[in-house]
Amino acid sequence: MHVVRPAEVVPDKSYSGLPPARILLIAPRNSYRTSTYIEAARSMGLEIMVASEGEHSLVSEIAGGLHVDLDDPAAVDELLAASRRKPFHGVIATDDASVELGSRIAGALALPHNTPQAAILTRRKDLSRERLHAAGLPVPGYRLVDLERPLSMQLEGVRFPVVVKPIALSASRGVIRADHNAELLSACGRVETLLAAESPADPTERNRILVEEFVPGPEVALEGLLRGGRLDVLAIFDKPDPMEGPFFEETYYITPSRHPARRIGKLVERVAQACSALGLREGPVHAEARICRGDAWIMEVASRTIGGYCGRLLRFGTGHRLEELIISHSIGRPLEIRPDQGAAGVLMLPIPQAGILRRVEGVMAARRVPFIDSLEISVREGYELVPLPEGASYLGFVFARAPNPEQAEAALREAHAKLRIVVAPLFRMADGR
Ligand code: ADP
Ligand code: CA
């Protein structure tokens, strides 16, 4: 089995001679990407300041905390004032919700950055569709529907199947396939209820939804790093389970891709074109596309990493992790990118049904499956499980590293088969007890 030593203990000559630097990490509350960035900064001997929402920003020996409200225009001045007190040498935004603020700070400090306009395009699915369509990239036909106006006229003549989705949520929340009119109306109603509960501050994000043509075909994800407008590919993942809907849960991600080189070439070309159409020039890129009719149809381009647990799969050159490459780039000291040998995969454990998690059986047996690197259940017993399209989390993650992608996928499937997830039904108290 492929043994990976944690990066902290891998002696790494490339960092020696690096002057001490201070990184600003801008993260929404509860971002699962924060801790992997902190670990990476620590292994590189860099200081990291985490600007986040919430009263108790995390503060530890290596990471300082600053409180900011990501949606408050004053956040820019507050963070620039912090930099005047003690300079930041690099700025990283962890999530879609913080990339715009990150771009403003990095821009003001003359550090590698995207324009705020480009950052907004990656967060807003409607604006991004419009831009990519105008640039002639293969994107599904779409319409922007106003939930406050009668639907029938706005939906006239749509060609089924379609996909209904909010314009600014993530993790496939509210993304629903509809095959005919009745399904379409019910999907719109379901997304409307979800948006009413989420209540985004921006009225457009609350009232508008996208209705898109369904693009068939296998889905792939590309993890990349932009440097001065040039896209370097860090990894390409296959998603071997067909994603046909009605909901679009992520499950298996396997790298390297098993698609023929020609297709991969097309994918890379299309993602690079999409980045340039959106105005993205610097930093991480996570793109998703579907292979259809000899082309790579862009589902989404985000200017952040795949993130958190999944990023851990990737190792480069002398054992660098994904976040180390991103941090090095942010401080203007790019590392050489050399992909690791072998294959890796992750299974994001789907939530099998709504209810209360009682227990997960078979964890030990699943961990013993050859090539399984780790398995973590992230929901605690007794907590409520909310499946898609409303839910926002996974039950847990299983990781595999193997000599080739077939073995990585087979190991994850075998581990999954050993798990039994016991869920108790949830009875809502309707009688006032
Ligand atoms: P999110 O930002 O919530 O992940 P996406 O727009 O990326 O939302 O959609 C999530 C998933 O839904 C995609 O990865 C894809 O599998 C599926 N999907 C979304 N739009 C389409 C479409 N037009 N055709 C086919 N599948 C789609
Ligand atoms: Ca997506």
Side-chain angles (χ1 to χ4, degrees):
M1 187 172 158
H2 191 106
V3 178
V4 181
R5 284 186 292 160
E8 288 93 318
V9 299
V10 176
D12 186 352
K13 289 199 276 299
S14 58
Y15 297 143
S16 57
L18 236 177
R22 189 165 181 253
I23 313 295
L24 172 66
L25 191 72
I26 310 180
R29 199 192 310 262
N30 304 330
S31 168
Y32 65 83
R33 295 187 179 85
T34 305
S35 62
T36 34
Y37 274 116
I38 292 178
E39 281 168 34
R42 174 169 51 196
S43 73
M44 299 167 80
L46 302 177
E47 189 184 334
I48 189 160
M49 177 64 78
V50 182
S52 189
E53 304 155 310
E55 289 308 313
H56 308 284
S57 286
L58 78 173
V59 184
S60 72
E61 289 155 41
I62 40 94
L66 272 173
H67 170 82
V68 286
D69 180 348
L70 299 181
D71 297 321
D72 183 353
V76 174
D77 292 334
E78 289 166 21
L79 293 177
L80 290 178
S83 184
R84 279 192 296 275
R85 289 194 295 275
K86 193 173 175 196
F88 299 123
H89 306 98
V91 178
I92 294 170
T94 57
D95 290 67
D96 293 335
S98 56
V99 290
E100 186 188 340
L101 178 56
S103 69
R104 291 185 194 282
I105 306 297
L109 298 176
L111 297 168
H113 68 284
N114 292 311
T115 60
Q117 290 74 11
I120 292 169
L121 289 179
T122 64
R123 214 178 66 74
R124 279 279 302 268
K125 295 180 197 298
D126 53 333
L127 302 177
S128 141
R129 280 281 180 263
E130 193 183 344
R131 179 64 64 92
L132 296 179
H133 182 74
L137 278 146
V139 288
Y142 66 94
R143 359 180 137 178
L144 193 58
V145 169
D146 184 345
L147 292 170
E148 296 195 318
R149 288 177 36 223
L151 292 181
S152 53
M153 258 170 56
Q154 300 181 72
L155 297 176
E156 210 163 281
V158 292
R159 293 222 313 267
F160 291 100
V162 293
V163 174
V164 176
K165 62 172 87 165
I167 59 175
L169 289 190
S170 55
S172 300
R173 293 184 71 209
V175 182
I176 307 174
R177 170 176 166 160
D179 288 348
H180 50 73
N181 219 38
E183 278 183 5
L184 175 54
L185 290 175
S186 120
C188 291
R190 201 158 173 180
V191 177
E192 188 172 10
T193 308
L194 174 63
L195 287 174
E198 284 297 300
S199 171
D202 179 340
T204 311
E205 294 176 18
R206 207 164 49 229
N207 301 332
R208 304 284 160 95
I209 60 174
L210 274 175
V211 176
E212 299 184 345
E213 286 168 14
F214 176 82
V215 180
E219 192 157 318
V220 285
L222 181 152
E223 195 71 13
L225 177 57
L226 284 165
R227 302 192 275 202
R230 212 194 96 166
L231 177 70
D232 280 313
V233 176
L234 302 177
I236 293 173
F237 292 93
D238 289 342
K239 304 189 188 182
D241 271 357
M243 297 174 81
E244 303 289 347
F247 313 129
F248 298 90
E249 195 148 47
E250 306 273 24
T251 51
Y252 295 90
Y253 264 63
I254 312 289
T255 187
S257 172
R258 282 165 272 171
H259 285 291
R262 189 176 28 85
R263 268 191 207 170
I264 296 301
K266 193 69 186 175
L267 168 72
V268 174
E269 180 192 332
R270 289 308 195 188
V271 172
Q273 290 169 339
C275 291
S276 110
L278 296 171
L280 294 175
R281 294 183 53 80
E282 302 287 350
V285 171
H286 177 78
E288 285 159 353
R290 284 196 178 218
I291 308 295
C292 176
R293 285 184 256 135
D295 213 328
W297 292 64
I298 302 290
M299 294 285 108
E300 207 176 22
V301 178
S303 59
R304 47 148 176 88
T305 59
I306 182 175
Y309 292 120
C310 303
R312 271 201 225 155
L313 280 179
L314 305 175
R315 300 273 166 180
F316 301 90
T318 45
H320 301 309
R321 0 168 158 205
L322 174 63
E323 288 77 8
E324 292 173 28
L325 298 181
I326 307 300
I327 290 175
S328 305
H329 168 261
S330 81
I331 57 175
R333 295 173 185 280
L335 291 169
E336 189 198 340
I337 298 170
R338 267 186 291 137
D340 209 357
Q341 298 298 311
V346 60
L347 164 62
M348 299 168 224
L349 280 171
I351 289 180
Q353 69 192 88
I356 299 293
L357 179 64
R358 281 285 159 250
R359 62 188 175 280
V360 181
E361 296 170 354
V363 169
M364 295 306 280
R367 281 191 181 132
R368 278 196 301 268
V369 171
F371 302 125
I372 293 297
D373 207 46
S374 66
L375 184 162
E376 294 169 42
I377 303 297
S378 32
V379 181
R380 269 191 276 158
E381 290 172 13
Y383 277 71
E384 184 179 353
L385 299 180
V386 184
L388 281 176
E390 285 82 14
S393 58
Y394 297 99
L395 189 61
F397 298 84
V398 191
F399 298 97
R401 297 185 72 85
N404 63 52
E406 289 79 8
Q407 287 164 312
E409 182 181 340
L412 292 172
R413 291 195 188 278
E414 190 181 334
H416 195 188
K418 295 204 185 300
L419 296 178
R420 204 173 87 83
I421 294 137
V422 185
V423 181
L426 177 66
F427 297 105
R428 302 247 179 234
M429 297 296 180
D431 57 3
R433 264 186 299 165

